[in-house]
Amino acid sequence: MDIKALQDEVGKRLPLDRFEHVLRVAETAKQLAELHGESVKDAEIAALLHDVAKFTKKEELREVLLAHHCDQRLLVYHHELWHGPVGAIVAKQEFGVTQENILRAIQFHTTGRANMSRLEKVIYIADLIEPGRKFPGIEQLREQLSGDLDTMMKACIHHTVQFLVSKKVAIYPDSMDCYNEYMMKEGK
Amino acid sequence: MDIKALQDEVGKRLPLDRFEHVLRVAETAKQLAELHGESVKDAEIAALLHDVAKFTKKEELREVLLAHHCDQRLLVYHHELWHGPVGAIVAKQEFGVTQENILRAIQFHTTGRANMSRLEKVIYIADLIEPGRKFPGIEQLREQLSGDLDTMMKACIHHTVQFLVSKKVAIYPDSMDCYNEYMMKEGK
């Protein structure tokens, strides 16, 4: 896959500030992949495509989820969760991505899930901590950038769940499974 | 059921400070039941028995859960969650309680669950806010005592999940289902 052509096509589909976020996620993901023995090219492709459906209209997202028999529980959770699964479908159908590993990294980049692959973790983490992100606690997350992938992933999913609970938002089961998996890793 | 005899028997099984907690939960549960059209006697029985297995040893709790084919997921979560389901079994087998409604209120008093009955809510709430409880945020919870049961229940399950996440503890799926049910009631 020609990375420059991919960048150009993604750039056409997103507002500039979101495209800049995508480019920063790609840079962070490449660094993480390099550090943790994952394919840098796969990380770049997944990162460039992770938000490809971010500005697709809610009704269209819903139609795609229904047409592709995605996990229908998504429809009762916040529509912010829909662009990942739809993004994976777009990556496959419109960009010709066939590698399951890349498609799953796009699909689960917002929710996380139990038993994530290394590439899924790279994209999840990169999306949360790319240099343009500003939120309380981001510095503590970034400090762990040099640590192992699971330590970072644990800090990231904990941050996300804590944020959602503070906002009294329902938490999608895949995210809870991810959270519980990591919290249990410390033992009781 | 003779309430005095029940109190005496529960008192024999618990340390004094825990028994005093149980008596306060019973008083709070009776008030809530009265306010919300639930049987005051059922509330008192469920409250008196809710912690009956609280001081049963961990290994014995595990054996009872296994022998009674309880939800085996409990065993991978914190053992603090085990005394409710075991308490319901003790209430039935050793105290002759046959009313499902009371047994379920004992069973789910620590975790909560989706679609709780009114009596389950009464016991869950009373256990959390009885006058002896001291923790940050308890006053805000108590302020809602005169509100409707679901408003209180929402505040209580939110408090509990927020506390668990702050402690980086895994959250049992029934508790998450309860949390998600209440957070979704506000709509998006």
Side-chain angles (χ1 to χ4, degrees):
Chain A
M1 186 168 293
D2 177 346
I3 293 289
K4 185 70 183 67
L6 179 55
Q7 280 185 0
D8 289 347
E9 182 54 34
V10 171
K12 285 183 204 159
R13 297 183 182 218
L14 296 174
L16 182 61
D17 57 348
R18 176 58 47 171
F19 182 54
E20 288 171 346
H21 157 73
V22 164
L23 295 178
R24 290 191 301 268
V25 172
E27 284 311 306
T28 306
K30 283 161 69 180
Q31 290 167 27
L32 287 171
E34 179 81 40
L35 266 170
H36 299 287
E38 184 52 50
S39 158
V40 172
K41 184 157 190 192
D42 289 356
E44 186 164 26
I45 295 169
L48 288 173
L49 284 166
H50 84 284
D51 269 352
V52 72
K54 183 78 179 181
F55 286 81
T56 304
K57 288 203 177 75
K58 190 175 157 184
E59 277 319 306
E60 193 179 332
L61 291 172
R62 185 196 303 274
E63 280 167 27
V64 176
L65 290 172
L66 285 168
H68 287 80
H69 309 292
C70 297
D71 183 345
Q72 303 294 300
R73 293 176 306 180
L74 277 166
L75 298 172
V76 297
Y77 285 82
H78 199 284
H79 56 84
E80 168 61 26
L81 306 181
W82 301 355
H83 73 283
V86 173
I89 292 163
V90 171
K92 186 173 185 179
Q93 294 190 334
E94 301 179 32
F95 290 82
V97 176
T98 53
Q99 280 176 263
E100 281 290 322
N101 198 26
I102 295 176
L103 296 174
R104 293 296 85 80
I106 299 168
Q107 180 176 357
F108 294 107
H109 83 267
T110 311
T111 58
R113 63 165 169 170
N115 302 311
M116 291 166 85
S117 72
R118 208 159 48 201
L119 185 61
E120 288 173 38
K121 293 172 193 173
V122 162
I123 300 301
Y124 186 95
I125 296 166
D127 186 30
L128 200 62
I129 68 171
E130 59 89 351
R133 292 284 198 193
K134 289 183 185 72
F135 53 79
I138 180 74
E139 290 310 326
Q140 290 94 302
L141 291 182
R142 287 203 186 109
E143 278 168 17
Q144 298 181 35
L145 247 177
S146 55
D148 71 272
L149 214 49
D150 279 331
T151 303
M152 259 190 293
M153 189 61 216
K154 179 172 181 173
C156 287
I157 188 68
H158 180 261
H159 170 85
T160 301
V161 168
Q162 192 161 46
F163 175 76
L164 293 172
V165 172
S166 78
K167 297 291 180 195
K168 302 193 176 179
V169 171
I171 296 169
Y172 188 60
D174 278 344
S175 303
M176 270 327 290
D177 291 347
C178 182
Y179 170 87
N180 279 343
E181 177 186 328
Y182 278 99
M183 297 311 122
M184 282 185 178
K185 279 186 180 171
E186 277 193 341
K188 292 292 177 305
Chain B
M1 185 169 291
D2 178 345
I3 293 288
K4 186 68 184 67
L6 178 56
Q7 279 185 1
D8 289 347
E9 182 55 34
V10 171
K12 285 181 203 161
R13 297 182 181 220
L14 296 174
L16 183 59
D17 59 346
R18 178 57 47 169
F19 182 54
E20 287 171 345
H21 157 72
V22 164
L23 294 179
R24 291 191 300 268
V25 173
E27 284 311 305
T28 305
K30 283 161 69 179
Q31 290 167 27
L32 287 171
E34 179 82 39
L35 266 170
H36 298 288
E38 185 52 50
S39 158
V40 172
K41 185 158 190 191
D42 289 355
E44 186 164 25
I45 295 169
L48 288 173
L49 285 166
H50 84 283
D51 269 352
V52 72
K54 182 80 180 180
F55 285 82
T56 304
K57 289 203 176 75
K58 191 175 156 186
E59 278 317 306
E60 192 179 333
L61 291 173
R62 185 196 303 274
E63 282 168 24
V64 176
L65 290 172
L66 285 167
H68 286 80
H69 310 292
C70 296
D71 183 345
Q72 304 292 304
R73 294 176 306 180
L74 277 165
L75 298 172
V76 296
Y77 285 83
H78 200 285
H79 57 83
E80 168 61 26
L81 305 181
W82 301 356
H83 73 282
V86 173
I89 292 163
V90 171
K92 186 173 184 180
Q93 293 190 332
E94 300 179 32
F95 290 82
V97 176
T98 54
Q99 280 177 263
E100 281 290 322
N101 197 28
I102 294 176
L103 296 174
R104 293 295 86 79
I106 299 167
Q107 180 177 358
F108 293 106
H109 84 268
T110 311
T111 57
R113 64 165 168 169
N115 302 310
M116 293 167 85
S117 71
R118 206 157 52 200
L119 185 61
E120 288 172 39
K121 294 172 192 172
V122 162
I123 300 301
Y124 186 96
I125 296 165
D127 186 30
L128 199 64
I129 68 171
E130 60 88 352
R133 292 284 199 195
K134 289 184 186 71
F135 53 80
I138 180 75
E139 290 310 325
Q140 290 92 304
L141 290 182
R142 287 203 185 109
E143 277 168 16
Q144 297 181 36
L145 248 176
S146 55
D148 71 272
L149 213 49
D150 279 331
T151 302
M152 261 190 291
M153 189 62 216
K154 179 173 181 172
C156 287
I157 188 69
H158 180 262
H159 170 86
T160 300
V161 168
Q162 191 160 46
F163 174 77
L164 294 172
V165 172
S166 78
K167 297 291 179 194
K168 302 191 175 179
V169 171
I171 296 171
Y172 187 62
D174 278 343
S175 304
M176 269 327 288
D177 291 345
C178 182
Y179 170 85
N180 279 342
E181 177 186 328
Y182 278 99
M183 296 312 122
M184 283 187 176
K185 279 187 180 170
E186 277 192 343
K188 289 293 174 312

